[in-house]
């Protein structure tokens, strides 16, 4: 089922399309991510866990989760209409569970406050579908210049 493309989702998709080719790490780790919805201050995305996303034990690597925190926080800020999501000043990731190759994960990011110079976001990574088991959650603060 295709999600209705509202102005916020189109803006965030355009922002991601501009950012992706300039970021080798995002292109490598998040090349298969799909933005499924956006409203002002909130984005939702899906990522199928591939072999590049897992550690030597076959579960979601912590660096993948941290990269998602960085990416999703920035896009939540962009969903407020900004064309520049700023520079990271602080990222926290708490690992609660894990996922394995082949799993579909869901990422939800919310911009709790976007001020004149700082933006504060909250991100949750969970299993997609009915289960919804949390994999990791975190916060991401960015310096923004308006």
């Amino acid at each position: 089922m295709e999600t209705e493309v509202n102005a916020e989702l189109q803006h965030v998709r355009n922002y991601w399309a501009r950012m992706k080719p300039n970021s080798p790490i995002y292109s490598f780790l998040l090349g298969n991510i799909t933005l499924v919805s956006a409203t002002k201050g909130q984005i939702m995305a899906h990522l199928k866990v591939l072999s590049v996303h897992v550690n030597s034990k076959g579960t979601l690597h912590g660096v993948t989760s941290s990269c998602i925190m960085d990416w999703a926080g920035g896009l939540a800020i962009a969903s407020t209409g900004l064309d520049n999501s700023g520079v990271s000043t602080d990222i926290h990731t708490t690992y609660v569970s894990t996922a394995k190759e082949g799993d579909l994960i869901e990422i939800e990011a919310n911009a709790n406050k976007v001020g004149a110079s700082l933006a504060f976001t909250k991100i949750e990574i969970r299993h997609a579908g009915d289960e919804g088991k949390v994999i990791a959650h975190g916060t991401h603060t960015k310096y923004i210049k308006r």
Side-chain angles (χ1 to χ4, degrees):
M1 181 171 85
E2 178 65 23
T3 302
E4 181 181 330
V5 179
N6 59 17
E8 290 88 357
L9 181 56
Q10 189 61 53
H11 178 75
V12 172
R13 285 180 173 172
N14 290 342
Y15 181 83
W16 173 227
R18 288 190 312 272
M19 180 180 27
K20 185 177 176 182
N22 297 316
S23 177
I25 192 67
Y26 283 164
S27 294
F28 178 71
L29 283 177
L30 304 177
N32 67 320
I33 204 160
T34 303
L35 284 157
V36 295
S37 68
T39 56
K40 186 175 181 176
Q42 188 269 342
I43 64 112
M44 185 81 69
H46 287 160
L47 177 74
K48 184 173 183 181
V49 178
L50 304 175
S51 62
V52 299
H53 300 128
V54 299
N55 59 27
S56 62
K57 294 182 177 39
T59 59
L60 190 65
H61 199 293
V63 77
T64 303
S65 297
S66 290
C67 182
I68 290 169
M69 295 293 169
D70 185 24
W71 174 85
L75 266 64
I77 294 166
S79 75
T80 67
L82 297 181
D83 288 321
N84 183 345
S85 68
V87 179
S88 298
T89 62
D90 190 51
I91 299 176
H92 288 271
T93 304
T94 300
Y95 305 96
V96 179
S97 183
T98 194
K100 62 184 184 317
E101 187 174 348
D103 287 351
L104 182 65
I105 59 175
E106 182 173 78
I107 299 106
E108 181 177 353
N110 293 282
N112 297 338
K113 180 180 180 183
V114 179
S117 61
L118 289 175
F120 302 89
T121 68
K122 180 180 176 185
I123 304 98
E124 185 174 272
I125 303 168
R126 58 185 171 253
H127 289 271
D130 294 335
E131 188 178 332
K133 184 177 177 184
V134 175
I135 297 165
H137 59 85
T139 58
H140 186 195
T141 305
K142 295 189 90 169
Y143 170 75
I144 53 174
K145 185 175 181 181
R146 291 198 189 222

